[in-house]
Amino acid sequence: MIKNYKHIIWDWNGTILNDVDLCVELINELLKEHNLKTVTKDEYKSIFTIPVKNYYAALGFDFEKESFEVVGKKWMDGYEQRKFECKVYPGVVEVMEKIKNLGIGQSILSAYSQHTLDEMSAHFGLTKYFSHIVGLDNIYAASKLHLGQQLIKKLGNGKGETLMIGDTEHDFEVAAEMGADCVLLSGGHYDKKRLEKLGVTVLDSIRGLL
Ligand SMILES: [Mg+2]
């Protein structure tokens, strides 16, 4: 199936980088600090969403008491300190290598901050696979739709020539807006049932793509 595409666009968090456990730990620290109920990993995967502000609200954070900017910054400070504890999912490099050998282009499109994205893809030795690494200029993970639209314009690809690989409903929505096909992975920040409801191909492992 991969062979039919000119370009593959990868999401970063929960698709390339397995940061799910770290995200659960960090949000639970914040929830405890705010005397709110903590979540299990399964609960997290049933609640997490982008824009992340909506997910914080669903967990019970009251932005009247403390702004989302303050809470979100606290979370991100913790993430920045510990982000290198995370690993790339098994099979990811193998799949990137295979796509490269097929002569198909690859990019990253993420709602994560550009600076950290550049730093981390270099850390894991992945930069060489990508023609474009596109992230947000801030830490608040609102939407990457506008970035996706800019990227697809740069690539000059028509409908069905691009495949987006992601792990959230937001990836699915962005792919649809870009005229890209979409495959979602259940090992990331959304549970499988939520992804299957979208009516797209859902894989348990990136290796399933080959
Ligand atoms: Mg993701």
Side-chain angles (χ1 to χ4, degrees), residues 152-166:
I152 205 82
K153 216 180 260 180
K154 264 189 219 163
L155 295 171
N157 286 3
K159 210 168 166 50
E161 294 180 332
T162 312
L163 177 70
M164 171 95 196
I165 306 172

Side-chain angles (χ1 to χ4, degrees), residues 11-15 50 167-168 171 189:
D11 167 55
W12 175 256
N13 306 87
T15 299
I50 294 172
D167 71 309
T168 65
D171 293 313
H189 295 265

Side-chain angles (χ1 to χ4, degrees), residues 118-185:
D118 288 335
E119 182 189 19
M120 289 199 86
S121 49
H123 172 81
F124 291 109
L126 302 176
T127 309
K128 63 182 177 190
Y129 292 107
F130 304 110
S131 60
H132 301 84
I133 296 178
V134 181
L136 285 179
D137 59 3
N138 66 70
I139 60 166
Y140 298 113
S143 171
K144 59 184 178 185
L145 179 58
H146 62 295
L147 299 173
Q149 285 162 335
Q150 287 163 15
L151 175 60
I152 205 82
K153 216 180 260 180
K154 264 189 219 163
L155 295 171
N157 286 3
K159 210 168 166 50
E161 294 180 332
T162 312
L163 177 70
M164 171 95 196
I165 306 172
D167 71 309
T168 65
E169 186 169 0
H170 186 56
D171 293 313
F172 169 73
E173 289 164 351
V174 171
E177 288 292 327
M178 291 191 300
D181 292 342
C182 185
V183 163
L184 296 173
L185 301 168

